[in-house]
Amino acid sequence: MINIENISVTYNAGTANEVKALQQLSLQVLPKSFVVLLGSNGSGKSTFFNALSGTAQIDSGKIFIDNQPIHEWNAYKRSVLFTRVFQNPLQGTVTGLSVIENFRIAALRTHSSKNIFAGVSTAFRKKVQEVISESGLPLANRLDTLMGNLSGGQRQALTLLMATMADCKVIMMDEPTAALDPRSAELVINTTQKIFQNSPVTIFYITHNMKEAVSLGNRLLIFKEGRIAIDASDTEKQKWDLQRLHGWFDEG
Ligand SMILES: Nc1ncnc2c1ncn2[C@@H]1O[C@H](COP(=O)(O)OP(=O)(O)OP(=O)(O)O)[C@@H](O)[C@H]1O
Ligand SMILES: [Mg+2]
């Protein structure tokens, strides 16, 4: 359970360039949620992710994950809970290391990494192979391939698998398909859907693609000027179609 209470983020406070990027934003998110975030450029979506992960400082407010006051933690301590998938696939993984080495780094990042992840390399390899096979990605026998030699979509999809294997609580995806060709985008979306179905992780997914916004997830948030202007539950979300979304943005 994520409980966000009245968080605000101001950049360049007290100067002529002051920006109120988040304004008294509150939100509760149940486990196993797949929350899609939509909103115009500069509406505060990425800042919201940064506030959660601790890379943007909040001026006020509180953030609890499973009742833990993570607003009191630094970004490094919080990194155990979160995995981020960025628009640029190069940002999520270490291109100069192999697939298996990237999985190892991801697993070691969390305190909760089980003993199987820590040392026994054959057991670890087997586990990674299983996780990749189950995902349907055709990469289970490419564990020694350099990450940099895979496609952007494959790298994004593997980042998602690493997140679930490392037991992270929240996956934050910031326009993960924006830089991908349609096939790679589909790969990332399918992997995300599978993780949503099979794991207790919470997914936040930022997109500018209205088709994705209506088809993905079980909750829709529309950001406007650092606030959540629309919060549509699963049932309400079903009623949002492309036309209605476009209409909302046209009205501004
Ligand atoms: N590091 C920063 N320093 C100063 N201002 C910033 C910084 N990061 C974001 N902003 C400003 O805060 C506001 C919110 O930006 P943010 O990146 O969160 O928007 P966004 O909804 O993710 O937009 P986009 O859809 O373009 O990615 C914008 O006005 C932006 O210019
Ligand atoms: Mg952004």
Side-chain angles (χ1 to χ4, degrees):
M1 172 86 175
I2 302 173
N3 200 354
I4 296 162
E5 296 176 4
N6 286 312
I7 57 168
S8 297
V9 172
T10 311
Y11 293 112
N12 309 317
T15 73
N17 298 323
E18 180 172 294
V19 179
K20 291 191 158 88
L22 291 182
Q23 306 197 56
Q24 301 270 316
L25 185 148
S26 294
L27 181 72
Q28 279 86 43
V29 182
L30 296 171
K32 270 202 89 64
S33 294
F34 183 165
V35 185
V36 176
L37 282 64
L38 199 63
S40 314
N41 293 124
S43 57
K45 305 176 301 294
S46 297
T47 300
F48 174 70
F49 281 6
N50 292 335
L52 287 183
S53 67
T55 46
Q57 188 110 39
I58 55 173
D59 319 327
S60 56
K62 294 175 179 170
I63 307 168
F64 297 92
I65 294 195
D66 296 339
N67 296 320
Q68 304 178 91
I70 67 151
H71 55 280
E72 294 172 359
W73 301 5
N74 63 24
Y76 174 72
K77 188 171 174 195
R78 291 188 211 183
S79 69
V80 171
L81 304 170
F82 300 106
T83 289
R84 292 185 75 162
V85 181
F86 297 91
Q87 198 177 100
N88 177 357
L90 296 177
Q91 254 179 290
T93 49
V94 187
T95 46
L97 293 178
S98 67
V99 170
I100 189 81
E101 284 163 340
N102 272 275
F103 268 87
R104 167 58 58 83
I105 290 171
L108 290 178
R109 223 169 44 115
T110 65
H111 301 311
S112 60
S113 48
K114 313 286 184 292
N115 290 337
I116 186 175
F117 298 149
V120 193
S121 107
T122 37
F124 183 72
R125 279 186 84 88
K126 203 165 154 249
K127 180 72 191 159
V128 172
Q129 236 155 6
E130 261 170 41
V131 169
I132 297 179
S133 300
E134 280 164 19
S135 76
L137 284 177
L139 297 172
N141 56 3
R142 295 191 59 192
L143 298 188
D144 299 306
T145 302
L146 285 185
M147 209 66 179
N149 290 340
L150 299 178
S151 75
Q154 288 172 332
R155 284 201 292 267
Q156 301 282 52
L158 287 175
T159 306
L160 291 168
L161 298 182
M162 288 174 208
T164 54
M165 222 178 123
D167 286 337
C168 91
K169 297 260 183 225
V170 183
I171 300 178
M172 299 192 278
M173 306 175 72
D174 198 340
E175 303 182 48
T177 60
L180 303 179
D181 63 67
R183 252 190 95 183
S184 300
E186 199 184 317
L187 184 69
V188 172
I189 287 170
N190 288 344
T191 311
T192 310
Q193 307 260 42
K194 267 193 194 139
I195 287 171
F196 174 49
Q197 280 150 19
N198 302 329
S199 119
V201 74
T202 295
I203 300 169
F204 286 111
Y205 189 105
I206 296 175
T207 182
H208 282 290
N209 179 328
M210 304 240 181
K211 236 170 105 185
E212 281 186 358
V214 292
S215 65
L216 290 179
N218 61 2
R219 190 167 173 186
L220 176 65
L221 303 179
I222 305 183
F223 275 61
K224 192 177 178 185
E225 293 163 10
R227 297 190 171 94
I228 296 170
I230 304 257
D231 179 355
S233 69
D234 202 11
T235 16
E236 288 161 345
K237 187 181 180 312
Q238 315 280 336
K239 297 180 204 144
W240 283 85
D241 54 24
L242 277 178
Q243 210 180 348
R244 189 168 164 207
L245 267 187
H246 279 294
W248 192 86
F249 278 94
D250 292 343
E251 282 165 24

